[in-house]
Amino acid sequence: EAGVVQSPRYKIIEKKQPVAFWCNPISGHNTLYWYRQNLGQGPELLIRYENEEAVDDSQLPKDRFSAERLKGVDSTLKIQPAELGDSAVYLCASSLAPGQGFGANVLTFGAGSRLTVL
Amino acid sequence: GNSVTQMEGPVTLSEEAFLTINCTYTATGYPSLFWYVQYPGEGLQLLLKATKADDKGSNKGFEATYRKETTSFHLEKGSVQVSDSAVYFCAFITQGGSEKLVFGKGTKLTVNP
């Protein structure tokens, strides 16, 4: 079974440029998360989806970040325009929806997309 | 607010040494607790979990016990191997609608042969 797939793995851009990251979750996982991991830090949640609905986007900087999960499967996270401080690894994860049993709180992470803003 | 405090790294051990990585949490309600591991160049992987007080999670020789009275979930392994070199993250998930996984800063472990 394929895990959580993310692309691209690495992206280098100049500041003020746009960038987009794509994520395909594990089949059957209704809940999808985007996390940001700064160097030497733990991941921090940006947004959580239940199917196509964003149920927690309180930590998403909405002036420059946007995300979508139109059909409730794969998702895209966009930054426009990027700033130097956006350099980080962007992690996508998925899980069963709350209440769907033992695995509901277990997140499976993708390998991440490492962004460098110059 | 909700937070996780982990032992500062890096930790360097010799093979077959005993490992402890301390973790305490501050959370509302009754969280589920996790240890995730990140091997070099790879994504985060679940190592073990515990969902209620006094539960012991275990996997690959690692163990951690959910201590509600001390709000702790320390990770231990009796004899580490070179292949255990990685970054270890303590985390918990809040319950009751927010379903948010909160991570510590991570502890880098290096095991030398």
Side-chain angles (χ1 to χ4, degrees):
Chain A
E1 176 188 310
V4 175
V5 180
Q6 290 187 247
S7 68
R9 285 296 308 275
Y10 304 92
K11 189 73 176 179
I12 301 173
I13 61 172
E14 295 190 344
K15 62 181 180 182
K16 300 185 182 180
Q17 294 300 306
V19 64
F21 305 111
W22 176 80
C23 172
N24 188 254
I26 289 176
S27 177
H29 280 191
N30 296 329
T31 307
L32 184 145
Y33 310 76
W34 283 102
Y35 279 81
R36 176 169 59 189
Q37 185 177 15
N38 292 314
L39 187 64
Q41 303 293 315
E44 295 180 333
L45 181 69
L46 291 173
I47 190 168
R48 175 170 69 95
Y49 283 93
E50 295 291 345
N51 298 302
E52 64 275 10
E53 182 184 359
V55 295
D56 184 355
D57 63 355
S58 57
Q59 302 301 310
L60 189 72
K62 297 181 183 64
D63 57 336
R64 297 182 301 105
F65 286 66
S66 64
E68 60 183 17
R69 194 185 185 198
L70 293 176
K71 296 182 180 179
V73 181
D74 56 348
S75 175
T76 303
L77 176 69
K78 297 179 181 178
I79 309 174
Q80 183 171 10
E83 296 179 352
L84 295 176
D86 296 331
S87 295
V89 177
Y90 291 84
L91 297 167
C92 180
S94 68
S95 71
L96 294 172
Q100 277 192 302
F102 180 77
N105 287 340
V106 177
L107 276 65
T108 300
F109 284 84
S113 295
R114 182 179 295 276
L115 174 65
T116 302
V117 182
L118 303 176
Chain B
N2 296 325
S3 66
V4 176
T5 302
Q6 275 186 245
M7 186 169 120
E8 292 269 342
V11 174
T12 302
L13 296 173
S14 298
E15 207 165 23
E16 299 184 1
F18 183 84
L19 169 71
T20 299
I21 300 178
N22 290 338
C23 170
T24 58
Y25 65 91
T26 302
T28 54
Y30 208 160
S32 294
L33 306 177
F34 304 83
W35 278 99
Y36 277 81
V37 58
Q38 190 170 34
Y39 297 103
E42 299 184 17
L44 285 152
Q45 302 175 23
L46 178 68
L47 181 60
L48 52 84
K49 65 179 282 190
T51 57
K52 61 182 187 295
D54 301 325
D55 265 2
K56 179 184 284 187
S58 61
N59 186 26
K60 299 181 180 180
F62 291 88
E63 293 182 339
T65 301
Y66 191 146
R67 300 291 188 199
K68 187 172 185 292
E69 64 276 12
T70 55
T71 62
S72 65
F73 194 53
H74 304 321
L75 182 69
E76 296 182 337
K77 185 172 185 180
S79 176
V80 293
Q81 306 300 311
V82 173
S83 57
D84 294 326
S85 297
V87 182
Y88 292 82
F89 293 91
C90 184
F92 69 83
I93 195 161
T94 57
Q95 303 292 343
S98 60
E99 307 296 339
K100 179 177 174 178
L101 192 60
V102 178
F103 285 89
K105 292 185 177 182
T107 302
K108 183 176 181 179
L109 170 67
T110 300
V111 180
N112 294 319

